[in-house]
Each structure stands twice: as C-alpha cells, then as structure tokens.
Amino acid sequence: MKPFVIGISGINAVDNPGPGIGVARSLKEDAALNARVIGLAYDAMEPGLYMDWVVDRSFILPYPSGDGEAYFDRLSFIRKQAGLEFVIPNLDAELPLYIKNARLIEERGIRTFLPTMEQFKLRGKDRLGEVAGRIGVKLPKTKVVTSLDQFCEAVEELGLPVMVKGSFYKAWAAYTTTQAIAHYHALVAEWGYPVIVQSIVTGDELNVIGVGDGEGKSLGAVGIKKISVTALGKIWTGVTVKQRAMLEAAERFTREFKWRGPFELECIVKGDDVFLIEINPRFPAWVYFATGVGVNLPSRLVRAALGEDLPPAPDYDAGKLFVRYSYELVTDMVKFQQAVTRGEVGMTHDAMPT
Amino acid sequence: MPHLAQLALSDEGFVFDPQTGDSFQVSEAGLFLLTAFKAGKSDEEAAALLAAEFDVSPEEARRDCTDFRGSLKNFGLA
C-alpha cells in the first residue's frame, strides 16, 4: 500500500515541546494508515529533525509570516520532492496563515483539517465569555480593557489578586496593584490591546483534548489532570480523569460551534463548577497521552479528513498515568549539515564530505 | 455520596478519584470504612462493622467513623 505522506510541524521536542512528535508517534501507531511523516521545522536544532524512528524526512521552512508566498512555495517544493499530501500544523503562529489560505493550499494538492477563521477567533480571551455561556460552563469574573484607566478600575472592581492576560498569549498573576500595572505595560508593549483582567479561581486544573468533525460531531475526547508541571508550566506527569461536566462541555463545544479539527480546553474545576480558562485551537503537546489510552485523535483526524466513515470514538479509562521523560540520541553530524546547508534531513544518498 | 461511589480503591489503600484526578492513601481502617460507605452503609452501620472487625469499643468506632467522614468532607469526597 502506498504510504500517505503527512507533514507535521512543531517537532521541537524541547523543554517547551511542540505537539509535533506526539502527533507523529500517534500517526505511526495506526499501522493501517501507513503514514510517512515529513517533519516541518523552522530551525536546524529542532530535535524532531534527528528522530528518524518517528519522522521519516524533514524540511526547514521559512517562518509563516507576511503573505506566506515563500512558505507555500516551500510546501509545494516538499510536495514535489517528497509527495506531501496532508499537513497538520501544530503551532499557534502557523494557524492563521494556514486557515486564511486553506483553499490555496488545497489547490496546491495539500489537504488540511482545520477550524474556520470564525471558529479560530473564538480562542481569543475576549471571546471566552461567549464560548463559556454556549457550552454551559463558567468564566472567572473577567474585564476586557483598552486603557490604563480602565485597567485600574477593573483591578479595583475585581479585587486582588488577579490574572493579567493578553488576548492570545501570556498570563501573569498579580498580587499588588503595582505588579498588575507592570504586567499590563509589558503585555501592551508586546501584544497590544486588549488586555484581560480576571479573578483568580482556585480548584483542580483539568484539561480536555478533542477533535471535531466540522459538522457538530466529536471524533473523541480525553480529559486529564496535570499532576506536575515544569518551570515553564508544561505537563511532566498527568493522569486521565472523567470529569463529567468538563467532558460534556467539550462535547457541546464541538456540537455548538461545529468545530473542525483539534482543540484543547483548559479548565479549572471546583466541585461541580467548571471554569473555562483557555481554548487552544490545535493539539496540545501532550496529545500522545490520548493515543496511549486508546484514543488516537491525530489518526482519527486524518481519517475523517479523508472522508472515512469512522466508528464512534473509543472510550478510555480514568487513572492512566502519563510520564514525560528526557532521553538523548547520538547521530552523525551529516544530518545537521544537511539541515543547515540544504534545509532538508533524511536523504539516504548523502554522506559527510571528507 | 455519588462522588464517593466513583472512587477507585486498591487493596493497599490507594484511593483514586476519577473525577478530579486526585489520589489519596488511607489506612487499613480507612479502607474498611470507605469500602463500607461505597457499599451504601450508613455511618452507624459502618461504625458497628468497624468495631467488630478491629476489636474496638462501639464508642471508639463511632468516633473514628465521624472523624473519617469529616476528613472525606474536607477533601470534597463526601
């Protein structure tokens, strides 16, 4: 059977890992899919370039900026060179470019399975209230501000401590007004307006990963609790949970918004109350956890995109443990040389120059 | 009680809450009481079973049972 060639970005399996390697491993575990994984990297130091048991061949891409012409030309080149048929972009910075140009990419013979731009915009923290209301969960008391005066009023009204958040990225806790104002200025300087001020809600930090088919049906979902995280807040150990209200909210999210593609909902759960904290419109870096408990979401996403009539999503057990670990590989310098000079790793006919 | 009924208990006294992902370690007596509560026994019935099983006075068993119930409440399990 001819391999199905899938491009995966986010193969930066570093201390703040991208989701790519988890997605690639998941696809490889579906033997019947016969996936040939093409790593799409932005730097010769991304570990996935060298993990040849997961990533069959890799290419360095230009950054996904501007109108994306150079980026899409590179994808076309990869299609010509390696038969690229499908791409799963896994990084936040790539998604707007892919979503805006979905048709252009398709015209070049490469398929994707992503949310629409309207769906993508729902991840904005200034839209979370609307989402929370429609999926039946709560939102911590939130104020969206566009000036320092409004910000100070919001902090006063909500009462300290508060979370100070950018619309899409960054979030800090502030315990004093001075600290809050410093975070406000830092956010405005880096990301602009609006700035979100939110009451701090305490409870269990639970997340759910899922994939929607774009027509209101869930292709599967798995809930987890992060038991320990790194200094960067990334999961190191976790456990599967079956928090009914959160899983029902994920189901409603796919149904209500006809969500297409992968997503992660970050929640805080206190008793029966579920508070929505963040929506990520992509696979999280811990995506392999779901695969490990029998819910292979990357594989189901690809199969759904190919028009397969999928059986209902499999169930999973609560109480399965996830442990991330560090590991090393040693390889030949020729691979690094290929990445730097040719922007490509995985050709079999190359040797180190003598 | 519905929450308590979902707890997973191991023979070694490891308790896992599938709703929250929290885990606990309980003593032999704690495991005995949790098993009784999960089976739908009232505090009084559980205390009587505890007194018989661990050879303690009914009064001591009732006190332990009340304390344990309080701990479960503190952890949001009952």
Side-chain angles (χ1 to χ4, degrees):
Chain A
M1 182 182 152
K2 184 177 160 286
F4 187 58
V5 184
I6 306 173
I8 306 286
S9 65
I11 57 169
N12 51 328
V14 293
D15 57 343
N16 180 7
I21 293 299
V23 171
R25 280 182 76 190
S26 302
L27 294 174
K28 288 283 186 187
E29 286 196 8
D30 181 351
L33 192 62
N34 197 18
R36 179 167 165 78
V37 172
I38 303 293
L40 307 175
Y42 297 99
D43 188 288
M45 289 299 189
E46 291 190 30
L49 289 167
Y50 307 97
M51 299 171 69
D52 57 12
W53 66 98
V54 186
V55 178
D56 297 296
R57 189 171 172 182
S58 298
F59 292 84
I60 307 277
L61 273 72
Y63 286 114
S65 55
D67 61 5
E69 201 180 327
Y71 191 91
F72 296 124
D73 284 349
R74 184 66 172 158
L75 284 185
S76 292
F77 172 81
I78 298 168
R79 173 161 174 76
K80 203 172 156 193
Q81 290 292 310
L84 184 67
E85 295 169 274
F86 195 93
V87 175
I88 303 179
N90 292 301
L91 301 172
D92 288 322
E94 299 169 332
L95 290 171
L97 196 66
Y98 272 93
I99 292 171
K100 269 186 213 158
N101 296 284
R103 188 177 295 173
L104 172 75
I105 300 168
E106 185 107 17
E107 282 168 6
R108 294 182 181 217
I110 301 164
R111 301 168 74 170
T112 58
F113 196 73
L114 296 167
T116 62
M117 186 50 82
E118 189 48 44
Q119 291 170 336
F120 180 70
K121 286 178 181 168
L122 293 169
R123 90 210 187 283
K125 295 194 179 73
D126 51 343
R127 301 281 303 274
L128 285 187
E130 175 192 340
V131 176
R134 283 176 64 181
I135 66 173
V137 297
K138 297 184 174 181
L139 187 74
K141 282 182 194 162
T142 300
K143 298 277 175 190
V144 180
V145 302
T146 51
S147 73
L148 183 58
D149 284 347
Q150 286 179 3
F151 178 78
C152 292
E153 278 172 30
V155 172
E156 176 96 18
E157 193 179 325
L158 295 178
L160 289 161
V162 292
M163 291 300 294
V164 185
K165 300 180 172 184
S167 189
F168 300 116
Y169 306 109
K170 296 271 173 83
W172 289 291
Y175 298 89
T176 66
T177 305
T178 311
Q179 209 177 20
I181 290 172
H183 292 328
Y184 166 87
H185 285 302
L187 271 174
V188 171
E190 192 173 356
W191 298 106
Y193 295 105
V195 169
I196 287 94
V197 194
Q198 205 167 60
S199 294
I200 292 182
V201 179
T202 54
D204 291 313
E205 291 181 31
L206 306 185
N207 296 354
V208 55
I209 182 178
V211 173
D213 74 347
E215 290 168 15
K217 204 176 98 189
S218 168
L219 298 177
V222 173
I224 67 144
K225 176 182 186 173
K226 293 178 181 177
I227 297 175
S228 68
V229 295
T230 65
L232 297 170
K234 307 300 163 187
I235 184 170
W236 199 256
T237 50
V239 64
T240 49
V241 296
K242 285 203 161 169
Q243 215 290 338
R244 189 184 45 77
M246 181 178 73
L247 292 173
E248 284 175 1
E251 186 83 26
R252 276 195 293 274
F253 179 74
T254 50
R255 193 172 60 232
E256 188 72 19
F257 296 102
K258 293 190 166 35
W259 187 268
R260 188 169 189 263
F263 67 87
E264 178 197 24
L265 303 182
E266 295 187 12
C267 306
I268 290 187
V269 178
K270 191 175 188 180
D272 291 331
D273 292 332
V274 178
F275 293 87
L276 182 63
I277 303 299
E278 193 164 325
I279 300 168
N280 289 315
R282 53 164 172 75
F283 285 121
W286 53 270
V287 51
Y288 184 76
F289 194 2
T291 304
V293 299
V295 187
N296 191 335
L297 293 171
S299 152
R300 288 177 67 81
L301 176 146
V302 170
R303 288 178 176 280
L306 295 177
E308 283 187 30
D309 193 13
L310 294 173
D315 198 8
Y316 68 94
D317 291 329
K320 294 293 180 187
L321 189 68
F322 168 92
V323 182
R324 188 168 273 163
Y325 63 99
S326 302
Y327 201 56
E328 298 82 25
L329 68 87
V330 177
T331 188
D332 201 281
M333 193 66 180
V334 71
K335 290 192 173 179
F336 179 67
Q337 170 213 314
Q338 287 175 350
V340 171
T341 61
R342 301 181 183 189
E344 189 176 342
V345 176
M347 295 159 291
T348 51
H349 57 278
D350 289 288
M352 190 79 170
T354 53
Chain B
M1 188 59 86
H3 195 172
L4 201 145
Q6 291 173 5
L7 296 179
L9 313 180
S10 81
D11 293 344
E12 291 83 26
F14 186 80
V15 181
F16 176 70
D17 181 345
Q19 283 266 338
T20 64
D22 289 336
S23 53
F24 308 87
Q25 183 73 42
V26 295
S27 65
E28 197 183 341
L31 180 61
F32 184 87
L33 285 174
L34 261 184
T35 308
F37 292 152
K38 273 194 75 176
K41 305 287 182 202
S42 68
D43 285 14
E44 238 171 62
E45 289 168 328
L49 291 169
L50 187 73
E53 178 74 17
F54 289 87
D55 195 22
V56 292
S57 70
E59 193 184 326
E60 190 178 348
R62 265 198 303 275
R63 202 167 51 236
D64 287 350
C65 193
T66 305
D67 287 350
F68 190 67
R69 176 68 79 178
S71 297
L72 291 177
K73 279 183 183 158
N74 285 341
F75 288 113
L77 298 174

Short mmCIF file of all heavy atoms in Angstrom, two decimals, chain A residues 204 206 225 227 239-245 318-320, chain B residues 3 6 8 14 16-23 75-76:
data_model
loop_
_atom_site.label_atom_id
_atom_site.label_comp_id
_atom_site.label_asym_id
_atom_site.label_seq_id
_atom_site.Cartn_x
_atom_site.Cartn_y
_atom_site.Cartn_z
N ASP A 204 -9.14 22.39 40.81
CA ASP A 204 -8.30 21.45 40.07
C ASP A 204 -8.12 21.94 38.64
O ASP A 204 -9.10 22.31 37.98
CB ASP A 204 -8.97 20.06 40.04
CG ASP A 204 -8.97 19.41 41.40
OD1 ASP A 204 -7.91 19.42 42.05
OD2 ASP A 204 -10.03 18.91 41.82
N LEU A 206 -7.82 21.04 35.17
CA LEU A 206 -8.08 19.90 34.29
C LEU A 206 -8.15 20.38 32.84
O LEU A 206 -8.59 21.50 32.58
CB LEU A 206 -9.41 19.22 34.64
CG LEU A 206 -9.63 18.78 36.09
CD1 LEU A 206 -10.95 18.02 36.20
CD2 LEU A 206 -8.50 17.89 36.58
N LYS A 225 -5.71 15.44 34.19
CA LYS A 225 -5.26 16.40 35.20
C LYS A 225 -3.74 16.42 35.16
O LYS A 225 -3.09 15.36 35.09
CB LYS A 225 -5.70 15.94 36.58
CG LYS A 225 -5.17 16.85 37.68
CD LYS A 225 -5.57 16.36 39.04
CE LYS A 225 -5.15 17.39 40.08
NZ LYS A 225 -5.65 17.05 41.40
N ILE A 227 -0.52 16.49 36.93
CA ILE A 227 -0.07 16.24 38.31
C ILE A 227 1.14 17.10 38.63
O ILE A 227 1.26 17.67 39.71
CB ILE A 227 0.26 14.75 38.52
CG1 ILE A 227 -0.98 13.89 38.32
CG2 ILE A 227 0.82 14.51 39.91
CD1 ILE A 227 -0.71 12.40 38.38
N VAL A 239 -2.63 12.48 34.75
CA VAL A 239 -3.50 11.31 34.92
C VAL A 239 -4.81 11.57 34.18
O VAL A 239 -5.29 12.70 34.14
CB VAL A 239 -3.72 11.02 36.43
CG1 VAL A 239 -4.47 12.14 37.13
CG2 VAL A 239 -4.45 9.70 36.65
N THR A 240 -5.34 10.51 33.58
CA THR A 240 -6.63 10.68 32.89
C THR A 240 -7.75 10.79 33.93
O THR A 240 -7.70 10.13 34.97
CB THR A 240 -6.95 9.50 31.95
OG1 THR A 240 -6.75 8.28 32.67
CG2 THR A 240 -6.07 9.52 30.72
N VAL A 241 -8.72 11.64 33.64
CA VAL A 241 -9.87 11.80 34.52
C VAL A 241 -11.15 11.73 33.69
O VAL A 241 -11.12 11.89 32.46
CB VAL A 241 -9.86 13.15 35.29
CG1 VAL A 241 -8.67 13.23 36.23
CG2 VAL A 241 -9.87 14.32 34.33
N LYS A 242 -12.24 11.50 34.39
CA LYS A 242 -13.55 11.54 33.73
C LYS A 242 -14.41 12.52 34.48
O LYS A 242 -15.29 12.13 35.24
CB LYS A 242 -14.17 10.15 33.70
CG LYS A 242 -13.51 9.26 32.67
CD LYS A 242 -14.41 8.15 32.25
CE LYS A 242 -13.93 7.57 30.92
NZ LYS A 242 -14.62 6.33 30.60
N GLN A 243 -14.11 13.79 34.31
CA GLN A 243 -14.90 14.84 34.94
C GLN A 243 -16.09 15.10 34.03
O GLN A 243 -15.94 15.69 32.95
CB GLN A 243 -14.03 16.10 35.13
CG GLN A 243 -14.33 16.89 36.38
CD GLN A 243 -15.67 17.60 36.32
OE1 GLN A 243 -16.19 17.84 35.24
NE2 GLN A 243 -16.23 17.94 37.46
N ARG A 244 -17.22 14.60 34.46
CA ARG A 244 -18.40 14.57 33.59
C ARG A 244 -18.73 15.94 32.99
O ARG A 244 -18.90 16.08 31.78
CB ARG A 244 -19.61 14.05 34.39
CG ARG A 244 -20.85 13.77 33.60
CD ARG A 244 -22.00 13.35 34.52
NE ARG A 244 -22.10 14.20 35.71
CZ ARG A 244 -22.62 15.42 35.72
NH1 ARG A 244 -23.10 15.93 34.61
NH2 ARG A 244 -22.67 16.13 36.83
N ALA A 245 -18.78 16.97 33.86
CA ALA A 245 -19.19 18.30 33.38
C ALA A 245 -18.22 18.83 32.33
O ALA A 245 -18.63 19.45 31.34
CB ALA A 245 -19.29 19.26 34.56
N ALA A 318 -10.19 6.14 33.26
CA ALA A 318 -9.62 7.14 34.17
C ALA A 318 -8.53 6.46 34.97
O ALA A 318 -8.58 5.25 35.20
CB ALA A 318 -10.70 7.69 35.09
N GLY A 319 -7.53 7.24 35.40
CA GLY A 319 -6.48 6.67 36.25
C GLY A 319 -5.29 6.14 35.49
O GLY A 319 -4.47 5.42 36.04
N LYS A 320 -5.16 6.51 34.20
CA LYS A 320 -3.95 6.13 33.45
C LYS A 320 -2.91 7.25 33.62
O LYS A 320 -3.25 8.43 33.51
CB LYS A 320 -4.27 5.93 31.97
CG LYS A 320 -5.18 4.76 31.71
CD LYS A 320 -4.50 3.44 32.03
CE LYS A 320 -5.42 2.26 31.77
NZ LYS A 320 -4.83 1.00 32.24
N HIS B 3 -20.31 10.91 44.35
CA HIS B 3 -18.89 11.14 44.11
C HIS B 3 -18.07 10.04 44.79
O HIS B 3 -17.18 9.44 44.20
CB HIS B 3 -18.51 12.51 44.66
CG HIS B 3 -17.19 12.99 44.17
ND1 HIS B 3 -16.72 14.25 44.40
CD2 HIS B 3 -16.22 12.38 43.47
CE1 HIS B 3 -15.53 14.39 43.85
NE2 HIS B 3 -15.20 13.26 43.28
N GLN B 6 -17.84 6.66 43.15
CA GLN B 6 -16.99 6.50 41.96
C GLN B 6 -15.53 6.26 42.30
O GLN B 6 -14.72 5.97 41.42
CB GLN B 6 -17.08 7.76 41.09
CG GLN B 6 -18.43 7.94 40.44
CD GLN B 6 -18.54 9.28 39.75
OE1 GLN B 6 -17.57 10.03 39.66
NE2 GLN B 6 -19.71 9.58 39.25
N ALA B 8 -12.00 4.84 43.11
CA ALA B 8 -11.37 3.54 42.86
C ALA B 8 -10.48 3.22 44.05
O ALA B 8 -9.64 4.05 44.43
CB ALA B 8 -10.56 3.60 41.57
N PHE B 14 -4.79 2.56 48.31
CA PHE B 14 -4.62 3.69 47.40
C PHE B 14 -5.98 4.05 46.82
O PHE B 14 -6.71 3.19 46.33
CB PHE B 14 -3.64 3.32 46.28
CG PHE B 14 -3.30 4.47 45.38
CD1 PHE B 14 -2.35 5.42 45.76
CD2 PHE B 14 -3.93 4.62 44.15
CE1 PHE B 14 -2.04 6.47 44.94
CE2 PHE B 14 -3.62 5.69 43.32
CZ PHE B 14 -2.67 6.61 43.71
N PHE B 16 -8.21 6.54 44.26
CA PHE B 16 -8.13 7.45 43.11
C PHE B 16 -9.52 7.99 42.80
O PHE B 16 -10.49 7.25 42.74
CB PHE B 16 -7.58 6.70 41.88
CG PHE B 16 -7.58 7.53 40.64
CD1 PHE B 16 -6.69 8.60 40.51
CD2 PHE B 16 -8.46 7.28 39.60
CE1 PHE B 16 -6.69 9.40 39.37
CE2 PHE B 16 -8.46 8.06 38.45
CZ PHE B 16 -7.57 9.13 38.34
N ASP B 17 -9.57 9.32 42.65
CA ASP B 17 -10.83 9.98 42.31
C ASP B 17 -10.84 10.25 40.80
O ASP B 17 -10.12 11.12 40.33
CB ASP B 17 -10.94 11.30 43.08
CG ASP B 17 -12.24 12.02 42.81
OD1 ASP B 17 -12.93 11.68 41.84
OD2 ASP B 17 -12.58 12.95 43.58
N PRO B 18 -11.63 9.50 40.03
CA PRO B 18 -11.59 9.67 38.57
C PRO B 18 -12.17 10.99 38.08
O PRO B 18 -11.96 11.38 36.94
CB PRO B 18 -12.43 8.49 38.05
CG PRO B 18 -13.31 8.11 39.18
CD PRO B 18 -12.58 8.47 40.44
N GLN B 19 -12.90 11.70 38.95
CA GLN B 19 -13.47 13.00 38.56
C GLN B 19 -12.41 14.10 38.59
O GLN B 19 -12.36 14.94 37.71
CB GLN B 19 -14.58 13.39 39.54
CG GLN B 19 -15.89 12.68 39.33
CD GLN B 19 -16.84 13.47 38.44
OE1 GLN B 19 -16.70 14.67 38.31
NE2 GLN B 19 -17.76 12.80 37.81
N THR B 20 -11.58 14.07 39.63
CA THR B 20 -10.63 15.17 39.80
C THR B 20 -9.19 14.77 39.53
O THR B 20 -8.33 15.62 39.38
CB THR B 20 -10.67 15.69 41.26
OG1 THR B 20 -10.24 14.61 42.12
CG2 THR B 20 -12.06 16.12 41.66
N GLY B 21 -8.91 13.48 39.49
CA GLY B 21 -7.54 13.02 39.31
C GLY B 21 -6.75 13.01 40.61
O GLY B 21 -5.57 12.67 40.61
N ASP B 22 -7.39 13.36 41.72
CA ASP B 22 -6.68 13.35 43.00
C ASP B 22 -6.50 11.91 43.48
O ASP B 22 -7.34 11.04 43.22
CB ASP B 22 -7.49 14.11 44.07
CG ASP B 22 -7.47 15.60 43.81
OD1 ASP B 22 -6.54 16.08 43.14
OD2 ASP B 22 -8.41 16.29 44.26
N SER B 23 -5.41 11.68 44.21
CA SER B 23 -5.22 10.35 44.80
C SER B 23 -4.88 10.50 46.27
O SER B 23 -4.34 11.53 46.70
CB SER B 23 -4.14 9.58 44.05
OG SER B 23 -2.96 10.32 43.97
N PHE B 75 -11.91 16.80 52.00
CA PHE B 75 -11.30 16.56 50.69
C PHE B 75 -12.33 16.57 49.56
O PHE B 75 -12.02 16.22 48.43
CB PHE B 75 -10.53 15.22 50.70
CG PHE B 75 -9.26 15.27 51.48
CD1 PHE B 75 -9.11 14.55 52.65
CD2 PHE B 75 -8.21 16.08 51.05
CE1 PHE B 75 -7.93 14.61 53.38
CE2 PHE B 75 -7.03 16.14 51.77
CZ PHE B 75 -6.88 15.42 52.94
N GLY B 76 -13.55 16.93 49.90
CA GLY B 76 -14.59 17.03 48.86
C GLY B 76 -15.06 15.68 48.35
O GLY B 76 -15.55 15.57 47.23
#
